[in-house]
Amino acid sequence: MKAILRGMTMVSVLALGAAGAQAADLVEAPVVVAPEMFNWTGFYVGVHGGLAAGKNDYSLSGF
């Protein structure tokens, strides 16, 4: 009786172990690529303007 119970336990453990390994056989879904929103190729002209004005004296004449 113990041999039958031990044998049935081993069969059930092996069956459950093999059933759990089938989860890796799933089919991957195709990757959906989002459409391009901006096209950064082309001609570009950039203009920078600035003004540096102030009355600060940063000279080292005091040393």
Side-chain angles (χ1 to χ4, degrees):
M1 186 70 168
K2 285 185 180 181
I4 293 173
L5 183 59
R6 191 176 302 151
M8 294 297 282
T9 304
M10 291 299 290
V11 168
S12 64
V13 167
L14 290 174
L16 290 174
Q22 293 177 358
D25 297 337
L26 294 175
V27 178
E28 293 184 22
V31 177
V32 178
V33 179
E36 191 175 322
M37 292 184 68
F38 296 104
N39 185 357
W40 294 100
T41 61
F43 185 72
Y44 173 76
V45 175
V47 177
H48 175 75
L51 177 65
K55 295 185 179 186
N56 296 328
D57 183 20
Y58 295 110
S59 64
L60 298 175
S61 61
F63 291 102

